[in-house]
């Protein structure tokens, strides 16, 4: 399903202007809506960081040239979706320096929560 590019651009512009809200995560876009989930707690964040560290120890042997990252955005303007998965594994060649945004086809793996909603 594709989304009107102008409508998606408007939603994206709105998310860029939203101020951080205490207790809420970063905005996501899907199905023509902007959503804000509760921010993950510290135990969750620590678990994700540990998983990223474990994956990054193994990826040179299993998938050379790939890295596990937290904080990356997964975006498809054609589908009108912007997601912020907990953890993403993608080729380091596609790794942006600031505020990483990757395209769905660049992702090697992503968490189950995102896979269900993508």
């Amino acid at each position: 399903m594709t989304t009107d590019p102008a409508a998606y651009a408007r939603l994206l512009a709105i998310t860029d202007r939203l101020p951080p809200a205490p207790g809420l995560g970063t905005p996501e876009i899907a199905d023509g809506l902007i959503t804000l989930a509760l921010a993950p707690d510290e135990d969750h964040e620590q678990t994700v960081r540990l998983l990223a560290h474990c994956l990054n120890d193994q990826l040179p042997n299993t998938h050379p040239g790939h890295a596990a990252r937290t904080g990356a955005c997964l975006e498809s303007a054609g589908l009108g979706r912007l997601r912020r998965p907990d953890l993403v594994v993608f080729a380091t060649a596609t790794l942006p320096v600031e505020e990483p945004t990757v395209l769905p086809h660049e992702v090697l793996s992503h968490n189950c929560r995102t896979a269900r909603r993508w």
Side-chain angles (χ1 to χ4, degrees), residues 11-105:
L11 291 172
L12 194 57
I14 292 169
T15 65
D16 288 342
R17 291 191 311 263
L18 288 175
L24 294 178
T26 53
E28 295 185 348
I29 301 171
D31 303 322
L33 299 172
I34 297 172
T35 59
L36 288 167
L38 293 175
D41 63 20
E42 184 53 38
D43 287 341
H44 176 89
E45 292 294 302
Q46 186 174 358
T47 301
V48 172
R49 285 191 299 271
L50 177 62
L51 285 171
H53 179 76
C54 290
L55 283 170
N56 284 322
D57 282 348
Q58 297 177 32
L59 285 168
N61 298 320
T62 61
H63 295 84
H66 286 76
R69 279 286 296 266
T70 61
C73 295
L74 187 59
E75 181 177 24
S76 173
L79 294 175
R81 295 192 181 224
L82 173 69
R83 297 292 192 193
R84 300 179 194 277
D86 296 328
L87 184 63
V88 182
V89 177
F90 53 92
T92 54
T94 63
L95 182 66
V97 176
E98 301 273 333
E99 302 211 13
T101 299
V102 292
L103 301 172
H105 71 274

